Amino acid sequence: MFFLMGVIIVSAAFSGCAPSNEEGDFSGAASKVYVAPGKYDEFYAFMSGGFNGQLTVYGLPSGRLFKIISVFSQNPETGYGYSEETKPMLMTSYGFVPWDDAHHPELSQTDGVPDGRWIFINANNTTRVARIDLSTFETAEIIEIPNSAGNHGSPFVTENTEYVIASTRFSVPVPNRDVPIDSYKENFKGTLSFIKVDPEKGNMEIAFQILVPGFDYDLAHAGKGPSHGWAFFTSYNSEQANTLLEINASQNDKDFIAAVNWKLAEKYLAEGKAKKINTEYYRNYFDEDKQKAFSEKRSSVYVLNPKDCPGMIYYLPTPKSPHGVDVDPTGEYIVAGGKLATVIPVHSFSKMLKAIENKEFDGEIDGIPILKYDAVIAGEVENPGLGPLHTEFDGKGYAYTSAFISSEIVKWKLGTWEVVDRIPTYYSIGHLMIPGGDSKKPWGKYVVALNKITKDRYLPTGPELCQSAQLIDISGDKMQLLLDFPTIGEPHYAQGIPAEILMKRNKKFYELEKNSHPDKTASEKETRVERKGNEIHVYMTATRTHFKPDNIEGVKVGDRVYFHITNLEQDWDIPHGFAVKGLNNSELLIMPGQTKTIEWVPQKEGIYPFYCTDFCSALHQEMQGYVRVSSKNSNVELSFN
Ligand code: RUQ
Ligand code: CUA
């Protein structure tokens, strides 16, 4: 959340005054969220973890948490980012970065509708985009974005997931270099990135970037239907301040939404209009056959300059420090959340095209024509609540906007712009989510409010309180609050999709036969322990209800011991875990058919037990073994059983 201090104080005070427990009749609500034991939820919801760097999976309407998908942060629970197989996922041009701040999940789309293949999410801090495979619910790929800082306006998909788009919050020198900070206006630039997504495999590559003036680019959404081929990016700090932004970046009445004609950009790229800039970044991917992640280094990127590319980008003036930008299901309306504005401005795509044709410009900035506000505006929603941020759509002609300061969701009608309903949220709502609510075909049954502050809503847990989601029924004329449930980390954006779409694709285990991990142990007969200098490689198998080998001798203090463990099970829901005493690393959680490796450097002589950490059968407690560690110069022979 990027607000004026004053605004935050006002909002905190406001939420303090709001009623802590609203009256109201919840008797009907309980049955609407009750999912009987053994029954499935109707929707999956994916919530960003914010500063925990992960992505969480919930069911709706129950609000039950199913999984935390490890994305940008190491996770000792599974070994993600600790195991040798997954460490490469977190490689960047800054080295190994085991954490990030993840804000916006976005489902892949076909024909403008979420298709359930992948979900993307951004890393805000060390600028990256991840792709999660929704057959395994595991991170399949992470690509770093060069020439970017604060990858906040990211990663939003175009209508057929041709591109994932991303914008830079912080402008920085491009290419980055050592300059005085007060040379901001002259040296600092923003970039808008277009990441090409392979239609079959999903692999990401940065196709091109567009160099833009040094504003802060905040959020984005792609066009659809008639506006397919365009993408929209909000910006604030058009003042180009580099200090005390709370004052210095709130001077202008209007900032801008950048409208990019990416089809034209593709053409300019093909014509050789882009400049190749040398810069280092990483693409990391998980190879499911090898059951291992790999890192590839990239060394250049194509950058288009609007000055050389007429017609590629326009600015839509937008009051005032806009945050979200959301395109309605028809693709005609572009809604901005002007967080300091008193109205919600809605731009018209068709008016924009006409204004471009008639050259209704109000000057230009760095080769980017500024369109006249009156020539592009479709309407303004009056009385939209204080601090409007984000808008989702129900597919029935209504829009729902979150108002951070007045802690409410405001429902209004597209076309007439009249507010038809409002409901308080507890408290300080940021994003909101309707399943499919940023697509062409929303499943407009619920809206989820994603709230920053919970205060008195839950049992207190010391100074740190959970953040929260609220489920609201939008199937009738009046919104009805059904359920509060806590979230993991800070939820920014979220996505939802009917469960049946994903259930069809769900993978139950990895086929052992297809596992071509170089350190796989295909059967118990192949288990062994090998020494290579001071490295010990343990090729171990796990199956109910033992490890093989389970006694290992001849390891010496200071050896680098690699446990390569293959889970031989070929059955759903039978992972095995692995931990050894004193392991300065995480445990491993190994899914059926997988091979995983953990490194251990024993520091002291003695006997070290290891065991399975996941209660896998009645004889789980028997699933254990010992490693004998001897002194550096001992002559205990390497042996195993
Ligand atoms: S943000 S609460 Cu990081 Cu998407 Cu608006
Ligand atoms: Cu394997 Cu417990």
Side-chain angles (χ1 to χ4, degrees):
M1 299 295 307
F2 321 113
F3 286 97
L4 293 179
M5 249 350 260
V7 176
I8 294 173
I9 291 161
V10 170
S11 81
F14 186 94
S15 52
C17 303
S20 62
N21 293 301
E22 79 267 35
E23 307 81 64
D25 178 12
F26 286 102
S27 53
S31 65
K32 287 191 178 172
V33 300
Y34 182 68
V35 177
K39 294 278 186 262
Y40 294 136
D41 277 286
E42 188 182 348
F43 293 97
Y44 281 99
F46 295 90
M47 314 244 192
S48 68
F51 44 70
N52 87 358
Q54 317 289 45
L55 177 66
T56 47
V57 187
Y58 290 81
L60 297 180
S62 72
R64 296 182 293 188
L65 170 66
F66 300 136
K67 178 169 173 157
I68 299 172
I69 300 175
S70 308
V71 186
F72 297 113
S73 297
Q74 283 177 300
N75 184 358
E77 183 184 339
T78 60
Y80 181 86
Y82 294 93
S83 71
E84 297 303 308
E85 286 75 13
T86 53
K87 278 200 267 191
M89 291 303 280
L90 302 179
M91 274 308 295
T92 75
S93 61
Y94 302 89
F96 182 76
V97 177
W99 169 87
D100 221 295
D101 183 13
H103 287 213
H104 306 119
E106 171 95 337
L107 290 158
S108 57
Q109 297 186 3
T110 302
D111 206 11
V113 181
D115 57 24
R117 294 192 294 167
W118 310 301
I119 189 163
F120 302 90
I121 190 165
N122 63 326
N124 199 13
N125 185 49
T126 304
T127 51
R128 291 168 282 177
V129 167
R131 178 175 56 87
I132 289 104
D133 185 320
L134 289 178
S135 66
T136 59
F137 289 65
E138 296 289 337
T139 303
E141 185 180 3
I142 294 180
I143 192 164
E144 190 178 357
I145 306 183
N147 300 325
S148 175
N151 174 42
H152 190 259
S154 166
F156 299 94
V157 299
T158 56
E159 194 167 279
N160 293 294
T161 319
E162 295 94 339
Y163 292 98
V164 162
I165 59 177
S167 61
T168 178
R169 171 180 164 200
F170 302 104
S171 282
V172 286
V174 176
N176 208 347
R177 58 197 181 273
D178 172 9
V179 298
I181 297 171
D182 67 11
S183 70
Y184 187 102
K185 288 198 170 113
E186 153 200 356
N187 284 322
F188 288 43
K189 293 281 177 230
T191 52
L192 310 177
S193 301
F194 287 74
I195 304 167
K196 188 96 201 133
V197 181
D198 180 279
E200 295 303 316
K201 300 206 175 87
N203 295 350
M204 299 184 286
E205 289 295 348
I206 298 178
F208 59 91
Q209 298 185 310
I210 297 174
L211 198 66
V212 283
F215 308 159
D216 289 46
Y217 294 82
D218 207 9
L219 276 160
H221 261 106
K224 48 172 91 82
S227 54
H228 176 57
W230 289 76
F232 305 94
F233 301 86
T234 43
S235 67
Y236 60 100
N237 191 21
S238 55
E239 298 84 352
Q240 304 198 49
N242 56 283
T243 176
L244 270 182
L245 263 64
E246 53 177 332
I247 298 161
N248 296 330
S250 305
Q251 302 297 313
N252 294 346
D253 253 4
K254 296 198 172 63
D255 295 281
F256 300 107
I257 289 175
V260 172
N261 182 340
W262 58 258
K263 291 234 162 130
L264 191 56
E266 279 179 333
K267 191 167 149 263
Y268 285 130
L269 181 71
E271 286 169 1
K273 289 264 162 67
K275 225 167 96 192
K276 196 165 163 184
I277 294 193
N278 291 331
T279 175
E280 192 183 276
Y281 58 101
Y282 274 72
R283 172 182 173 254
N284 311 314
Y285 64 97
F286 192 83
D287 182 323
E288 205 176 290
D289 288 334
K290 299 206 174 76
Q291 282 292 327
K292 230 173 130 36
F294 296 89
S295 291
E296 296 173 346
K297 235 194 212 176
R298 299 280 183 267
S299 55
S300 65
V301 70
Y302 287 105
V303 179
L304 291 165
N305 191 325
K307 284 185 185 145
D308 312 326
C309 303
M312 179 178 67
I313 173 168
Y314 297 91
Y315 275 145
L316 312 176
T318 303
K320 172 166 192 173
S321 298
H323 184 58
V325 53
D326 299 285
V327 181
D328 87 306
T330 70
E332 162 65 6
Y333 296 123
I334 302 141
V335 181
K339 55 189 192 273
L340 307 178
T342 51
V343 296
I344 301 171
V346 184
H347 296 301
S348 153
F349 180 72
S350 53
K351 283 181 86 175
M352 182 192 95
L353 289 187
K354 254 185 235 125
I356 292 170
E357 215 186 287
N358 300 337
K359 300 209 161 47
E360 294 190 58
F361 301 144
D362 238 348
E364 60 158 64
I365 303 174
D366 291 358
I368 303 173
I370 302 169
L371 290 159
K372 289 207 166 98
Y373 183 72
D374 291 333
V376 294
I377 195 79
E380 291 175 338
V381 180
E382 311 236 347
N383 240 325
L386 302 174
L389 292 183
H390 299 284
T391 300
E392 293 267 294
F393 306 92
D394 65 2
K396 300 170 205 153
Y398 294 98
Y400 299 71
T401 300
S402 57
F404 175 81
I405 299 172
S406 53
S407 285
E408 61 184 330
I409 293 177
V410 177
K411 176 181 175 183
W412 50 274
K413 198 162 160 56
L414 286 154
T416 69
W417 325 119
E418 64 190 312
V419 172
V420 296
D421 194 19
R422 52 211 316 150
I423 191 169
T425 56
Y426 301 90
Y427 307 96
S428 303
I429 180 174
H431 278 271
L432 73 181
M433 179 275 277
I434 293 173
D438 69 338
S439 78
K440 268 181 167 173
K441 280 214 188 99
W443 293 275
K445 188 167 178 185
Y446 304 110
V447 63
V448 179
L450 298 153
N451 304 326
K452 309 294 187 186
I453 293 172
T454 51
K455 286 199 174 177
D456 45 17
R457 296 294 286 186
Y458 296 102
L459 290 177
T461 52
E464 186 187 355
L465 298 173
C466 66
Q467 305 198 9
S468 165
Q470 290 187 293
L471 184 74
I472 294 161
D473 182 346
I474 55 168
S475 58
D477 287 346
K478 300 256 348 137
M479 292 183 271
Q480 186 199 2
L481 177 61
L482 300 178
L483 181 73
D484 279 24
F485 58 98
T487 60
I488 306 290
E490 182 187 7
H492 287 256
Y493 198 27
Q495 293 268 277
I497 187 167
E500 56 190 21
I501 297 178
L502 296 194
M503 286 174 69
K504 286 199 291 249
R505 315 177 52 86
N506 189 60
K507 194 181 208 92
K508 294 196 163 72
F509 55 84
Y510 299 100
E511 279 171 65
L512 196 56
E513 269 191 9
K514 281 204 186 146
N515 173 348
S516 59
H517 191 299
D519 299 315
K520 161 185 171 184
T521 309
S523 71
E524 294 196 349
K525 276 193 286 246
E526 293 175 25
T527 56
R528 63 204 185 276
V529 181
E530 292 171 357
R531 177 179 282 284
K532 291 177 191 149
N534 74 336
E535 283 183 10
I536 304 267
H537 292 266
V538 180
Y539 299 91
M540 185 183 271
T541 57
T543 191
R544 280 162 292 177
T545 43
H546 56 271
F547 293 106
K548 193 166 176 356
D550 69 356
N551 280 201
I552 300 166
E553 301 203 352
V555 173
K556 295 178 188 170
V557 168
D559 279 345
R560 308 197 88 80
V561 183
Y562 293 94
F563 295 97
H564 310 287
I565 306 172
T566 302
N567 179 346
L568 297 178
E569 309 275 359
Q570 290 288 272
D571 214 345
W572 199 17
D573 203 11
I574 311 288
H576 293 288
F578 177 83
V580 59
K581 189 184 178 197
L583 181 66
N584 300 112
N585 212 330
S586 78
E587 74 150 341
L588 286 181
L589 197 62
I590 312 143
M591 296 303 129
Q594 264 189 334
T595 303
K596 280 191 173 174
T597 303
I598 200 85
E599 185 196 48
W600 173 51
V601 185
Q603 306 293 331
K604 289 189 277 193
E605 296 161 31
I607 299 296
Y608 290 80
F610 60 85
Y611 71 103
C612 172
T613 52
D614 187 310
F615 208 109
C616 49
S617 75
L619 295 172
H620 155 81
Q621 285 298 85
E622 281 68 18
M623 207 167 163
Q624 65 172 51
Y626 292 104
V627 182
R628 174 181 172 191
V629 176
S630 307
S631 72
K632 270 198 163 84
N633 38 26
S634 93
N635 45 24
V636 176
E637 290 282 316
L638 193 63
S639 69
F640 58 94
N641 61 346

